[in-house]
Amino acid sequence: MDIPFPVSNYLVNFFRETRSLAYLFVGKDGCLASWGGKLKEYGIVNLQIGVDASQQIFFLEGLLPLDGFPLFLPCLKTEVGICADVHLFPENEGDWVLLLDATWDEIQIFKVQQEANSRRLMQHK
């Protein structure tokens, strides 16, 4: 599917501003090759190129390199307490890690769970 540039540009800007877009690129050797976006909001700081990514970012331990298939980790809680949707997808030279703030989603899920728990308690009374 071809996406017109104005549409893809809008989506990138939307995610950058509303979902704290951040990304990492990890080579097939497991070493961090590049990064960008709002990583500091997720507590990811002091990164070093050429150093094992899983030693620098705790939640990547055992996930990379990908075996040719993308991976989605919804509502992963970071070390600083931010909830992030983490998308991992492969490319020939390495794997991309995309982080999007999922705090609003986490709050909505919590509200639904609380409502369900309240209804169960009312039924037992």
Side-chain angles (χ1 to χ4, degrees):
M1 169 170 66
D2 289 330
I3 299 174
F5 176 76
V7 173
S8 63
N9 192 48
Y10 170 82
L11 288 172
V12 168
N13 288 328
F14 175 79
F15 285 128
R16 183 184 299 134
E17 297 306 317
T18 63
R19 300 283 305 269
S20 296
L21 173 66
Y23 64 89
L24 305 152
F25 185 70
V26 180
K28 290 296 182 187
D29 61 358
C31 293
L32 191 59
S34 66
W35 61 85
K38 299 182 178 183
L39 288 166
K40 186 183 270 188
E41 293 186 21
Y42 300 100
I44 301 173
V45 295
N46 302 321
L47 297 174
Q48 297 177 7
I49 288 179
V51 176
D52 189 309
S54 64
Q55 292 177 2
Q56 300 182 72
I57 302 131
F58 81 96
F59 62 82
L60 293 179
E61 181 70 38
L63 295 177
L64 300 176
L66 296 171
D67 290 331
F69 296 98
L71 181 62
F72 173 57
L73 306 171
C75 290
L76 184 125
K77 193 71 93 166
T78 65
E79 288 183 58
V80 294
I82 299 293
C83 187
D85 284 341
V86 180
H87 299 260
L88 299 100
F89 54 96
E91 191 178 82
N92 290 338
E93 294 82 33
D95 300 313
W96 288 97
V97 180
L98 176 66
L99 293 97
L100 298 170
D101 187 326
T103 304
W104 187 86
D105 297 332
E106 178 187 37
I107 291 168
Q108 297 309 310
I109 291 168
F110 178 76
K111 287 180 182 178
V112 168
Q113 289 172 336
Q114 285 297 101
E115 180 65 27
N117 290 340
S118 294
R119 289 178 188 223
R120 282 189 203 119
L121 285 173
M122 295 300 278
Q123 288 177 347
H124 288 295
K125 289 185 178 184

